[in-house]
Amino acid sequence: MITMKKVIDLLLVNSFAPRQRIASDAALENGLALIRTFLQSKGFTVTVIDEQRLSGAEQGVPKWCFHFLRLLVILQMKYYTSLKHLTLLFLLLAWPFQSLAIYRRKKYMDKLGDEIAQYVYTNSIPMVGIKIWYGDAYAWSIQLAKKIKRQNPDTIIVAGGPQVKVYGAKVLDEEIFDLAIMGPGEYILEKLLNMLSSTATKLAFLDKVHNQITRDRLISTGSYSQHGSYMFDNFIIPKYNEEDLKDKILFHTLVDGVGCSWNKCNFCSHSRQNVTHIPRPVEEIYAEIQTMTKQGIAFFRFSSSETPLSHGKAIAHTLMANNAHIHYSMFVRAGKVTEEIFDIYCLLIKSGLRAVFMGGETGHDVINEKVMNKGVTRKDIIETIQCIKLAAAKVAQPCKIGLSLIYPTPIVGPITFQDVFQANITMIEQTLPDTVIINPPGVFPGTIWSEQAEHFGFKIAEGFNTQLMSYEYSIFKPVNFWTKLNFSLHGYDMESLLHESGKFRQAVEGMGIPTNVSDEYLMMLTAIGHGSKTDLLIFKKHSLIDIMSGSSHYIKQIVEKINTYSRKMAAQNHTVN
């Protein structure tokens, strides 16, 4: 019996870098799963290629190379503070093996790009969507698009994902991508696929898009659109298949709403959204949680830039009423603490809140007001952190706190970097968060810092944003090995700024506080009994060894424990009494 070949309407590809960059690289890919689920419900056939997995960074590299690199990295870290000359020796010994690992890894990625382009050709796929990330992953996306275009000139190539949300139309400068979507992609992709099916040629299709959707190749949707709308009607719950779950961390990024209630920070690219916070209906959130727990997923991270406490309270009531067994983390905003706020945090922690991410930016009030336009004071930050700690103590459940700071920052008047440094240190001493996330200043398109760069003391060369898009950012790389950017702040070049940021990081770690542990790992490590300060420092050290050596040796062991815990907790939601 002859069967018809199944037509693939859309191929979705998740871009990836040669090396693991953060411990959460292998999180479940909710965005592409959501698009696939939605479009399949509309009758389209969609395939996903996702190499961003736990062991993904090891593909193409000999195992002996990882083992040798791990040994050298461990020796580097052991003698870093005591015998610097030995550290330098181990760095030099590691260099040829690092080069070999990167070479083999890039060869693998190049071959994969060829295979994807051939897959598109063999299956006559009319449209490919690439979820693009920053740095080397962005560079790989460009090369993949070129390979596809060279072999399949009639295929429409669409870019989406975090890089488009940050850089907007800049991703279209090289004219590699035919279109880019800034914002949620499911509804607009349905429209594009329908238009494509009724159009004879690629040129005719692009003309139709130009005339009916946008005169630009950048399509802004949802909260990024001109009207700032967001569609929660008939919101689709993403469905993971067996392949999606393989070699992944069982935690799910859950859309609890979009935007934040402030949406005015001078430095934040989220301000590209034309709305403040729009909450997603609580019944939809709970339905998605139930769907995920049936697949063994019990760890969640709420995705909105901030979950307002009123919305969090409504979610928590629903979780408690249904006796839900989950753990979740969310972004919170500091504010005036009242008895009502304290009670809400108690309720949230009872319902499963186990970690929060708070953007404090600095401990200096003038800088937060004049430079950040943060809308909160040092007192607000301190009292909110204390409130969360007291609420956790009252309900006898842990809730870890990640405090995010930018250092160095633009400065005004007589204020110096050292003034901001000291204000940060004293605030950390007063609050003792579980981790401090430290980032050097970044200037991104569409932000006030970018539009008024000189006012804030930045000097940015022409072509800076184009260079930054493919810039491989890693706080773990020694400053001397960073590629130079034509960028300065108050006369300090990039290397000087990174040295200053590193000095602050060392000071925080000298207080016994681990830096740059994400809120989802705070939550998950606590669940498996690794949530103490000592445990977090051990996690930071060994995950750093993984990152520096390019292996997944340690993180696989941790994730195995996390996934076992997740499955057991998820099963409690479906036990028949």
Side-chain angles (χ1 to χ4, degrees):
M1 184 183 198
I2 299 174
T3 57
M4 295 283 289
K5 184 174 78 170
K6 191 173 185 181
V7 174
I8 298 174
D9 299 297
L10 174 66
L11 173 66
L12 296 172
V13 182
N14 192 18
S15 63
F16 63 108
R19 307 297 293 271
Q20 178 191 1
R21 293 184 285 196
I22 58 173
S24 298
D25 274 351
L28 291 170
E29 181 39 64
N30 70 313
L32 297 185
L34 189 150
I35 291 171
R36 181 186 61 201
T37 304
F38 175 79
L39 291 176
Q40 285 178 340
S41 75
K42 301 297 180 179
F44 295 102
T45 300
V46 182
T47 298
V48 173
I49 294 176
D50 178 16
E51 282 277 312
Q52 196 75 280
R53 299 179 187 272
L54 280 170
S55 57
E58 297 181 344
Q59 299 301 313
V61 183
K63 281 192 165 80
W64 64 263
C65 191
F66 292 129
H67 295 320
F68 196 69
L69 278 172
R70 281 186 64 81
L71 174 62
L72 290 173
V73 169
I74 290 168
L75 291 171
Q76 286 173 35
M77 295 178 74
K78 180 177 180 180
Y79 295 109
Y80 180 73
T81 54
S82 58
L83 296 168
K84 298 251 178 179
H85 60 284
L86 268 181
T87 302
L88 179 60
L89 174 62
F90 293 131
L91 271 169
L92 291 171
L93 286 172
W95 178 79
F97 299 98
Q98 290 276 13
S99 299
L100 173 64
I102 290 292
Y103 171 77
R104 292 289 295 269
R105 180 75 177 133
K106 288 187 174 181
K107 288 285 285 184
Y108 171 83
M109 293 174 67
D110 189 54
K111 181 183 176 186
L112 181 64
D114 290 335
E115 291 173 354
I116 292 172
Q118 182 61 41
Y119 181 78
V120 173
Y121 176 79
T122 302
N123 292 277
S124 302
I125 301 175
M127 184 179 291
V128 175
I130 306 176
K131 183 171 185 177
I132 56 175
W133 298 84
Y134 68 93
D136 285 340
Y138 178 68
W140 182 79
S141 300
I142 294 289
Q143 292 307 310
L144 174 63
K146 286 179 178 178
K147 289 173 185 286
I148 293 171
K149 185 168 283 191
R150 188 160 52 243
Q151 195 163 350
N152 310 274
D154 293 329
T155 296
I156 306 298
I157 304 175
V158 184
Q163 190 83 330
V164 182
K165 291 177 183 176
V166 172
Y167 292 98
K170 293 296 296 180
V171 302
L172 296 167
D173 281 358
E174 293 188 57
E175 300 195 357
I176 300 301
F177 304 109
D178 297 304
L179 299 168
I181 298 171
M182 184 164 71
E186 56 271 21
Y187 293 100
I188 191 63
L189 281 170
E190 177 193 14
K191 188 170 184 175
L192 291 174
L193 287 169
N194 283 324
M195 289 172 64
L196 185 59
S197 66
S198 61
T199 310
T201 67
K202 179 176 181 176
L203 182 60
F205 166 77
L206 293 174
D207 283 342
K208 191 180 287 188
V209 172
H210 180 79
N211 293 324
Q212 295 183 19
I213 299 178
T214 177
R215 301 194 68 81
D216 302 311
R217 290 185 296 131
L218 176 70
I219 305 172
S220 299
T221 66
S223 55
Y224 293 88
S225 66
Q226 186 176 359
H227 303 293
S229 62
Y230 196 93
M231 298 174 68
F232 277 125
D233 295 336
N234 302 315
F235 192 87
I236 298 296
I237 296 173
K239 294 178 182 176
Y240 296 116
N241 58 36
E242 188 176 340
E243 183 63 27
D244 296 331
L245 300 174
K246 281 183 183 176
D247 211 18
K248 290 278 193 175
I249 311 167
L250 293 181
F251 95 87
H252 172 70
T253 302
L254 190 150
V255 178
D256 61 300
V258 295
C260 86
S261 61
W262 180 248
N263 205 41
K264 299 174 187 175
C265 292
N266 288 339
F267 58 89
C268 186
S269 61
H270 290 158
S271 59
R272 279 183 176 274
Q273 298 183 78
N274 295 317
V275 299
T276 51
H277 187 269
I278 300 175
R280 182 183 176 194
V282 174
E283 60 272 16
E284 287 188 6
I285 293 172
Y286 181 66
E288 186 161 324
I289 287 170
Q290 284 290 88
T291 299
M292 294 302 136
T293 55
K294 288 175 183 175
Q295 296 188 77
I297 302 163
F299 290 115
F300 298 87
R301 185 191 200 190
F302 291 178
S303 70
S304 59
S305 307
E306 170 214 0
T307 303
L309 292 184
S310 57
H311 189 42
K313 179 181 178 181
I315 296 169
H317 274 306
T318 298
L319 294 174
M320 296 285 286
N322 289 280
N323 193 30
H325 297 274
I326 67 165
H327 289 170
Y328 62 96
S329 70
M330 68 186 199
F331 291 75
V332 298
R333 179 173 167 79
K336 308 297 179 190
V337 173
T338 63
E339 189 173 338
E340 180 187 9
I341 296 297
F342 175 76
D343 289 341
I344 291 174
Y345 273 116
C346 287
L347 176 66
L348 288 166
I349 296 167
K350 281 182 184 177
S351 73
L353 178 67
R354 291 295 178 265
V356 299
F357 176 100
M358 180 188 295
E361 316 325 333
T362 81
H364 198 293
D365 278 341
V366 175
I367 298 300
N368 263 354
E369 179 188 357
K370 303 290 186 184
V371 172
M372 305 292 179
N373 194 31
K374 185 69 183 175
V376 301
T377 66
R378 173 193 179 90
K379 184 172 183 285
D380 294 334
I381 297 167
I382 292 171
E383 291 186 353
T384 302
I385 291 175
Q386 290 172 340
C387 172
I388 296 169
K389 288 188 171 189
L390 288 170
K394 181 175 180 180
V395 302
Q397 292 291 347
C399 183
K400 300 295 184 178
I401 299 166
L403 176 64
S404 177
L405 300 175
I406 298 172
Y407 184 81
T409 72
I411 47 181
V412 292
I415 298 168
T416 64
F417 286 165
Q418 186 57 37
D419 293 332
V420 180
F421 183 103
Q422 193 55 50
N424 289 345
I425 291 295
T426 55
M427 182 174 71
I428 292 167
E429 288 173 340
Q430 289 177 278
T431 55
L432 295 177
D434 295 283
T435 186
V436 180
I437 296 94
I438 300 165
N439 289 299
V443 182
F444 300 106
T447 64
I448 300 298
W449 275 12
S450 175
E451 292 170 358
Q452 301 177 27
E454 289 190 11
H455 171 75
F456 289 101
F458 292 107
K459 282 194 176 178
I460 300 170
E462 187 177 347
F464 170 76
N465 285 322
T466 301
Q467 184 185 11
L468 194 60
M469 283 192 290
S470 56
Y471 190 78
E472 188 60 19
Y473 170 78
S474 172
I475 60 170
F476 307 119
K477 192 188 298 182
V479 169
N480 295 335
F481 291 93
W482 284 58
T483 304
K484 302 298 183 287
L485 286 171
N486 201 346
F487 159 86
S488 67
L489 173 62
H490 300 305
Y492 288 79
D493 64 12
M494 181 184 148
E495 187 172 328
S496 301
L497 294 171
L498 290 173
H499 271 298
E500 191 68 24
S501 185
K503 184 176 76 172
F504 179 46
R505 188 173 296 108
Q506 288 176 0
V508 173
E509 291 172 349
M511 299 164 67
I513 297 175
T515 58
N516 295 76
V517 179
S518 63
D519 53 296
E520 66 268 19
Y521 263 102
L522 287 177
M523 163 185 66
M524 294 185 293
L525 289 168
T526 300
I528 63 172
H530 293 270
S532 71
K533 282 279 198 302
T534 301
D535 288 328
L536 292 176
L537 287 167
I538 291 171
F539 169 78
K540 175 72 184 296
K541 175 185 175 181
H542 288 283
S543 58
L544 178 55
I545 291 170
D546 269 7
I547 289 169
M548 291 176 67
S549 64
S551 73
S552 309
H553 176 79
Y554 172 74
I555 204 67
K556 282 180 185 175
Q557 298 174 39
I558 288 294
V559 170
E560 185 179 357
K561 294 178 182 178
I562 288 170
N563 288 351
T564 298
Y565 190 99
S566 178
R567 292 187 188 98
K568 286 181 179 177
M569 182 163 56
Q572 295 177 47
N573 294 278
H574 307 284
T575 302
V576 178
N577 294 320

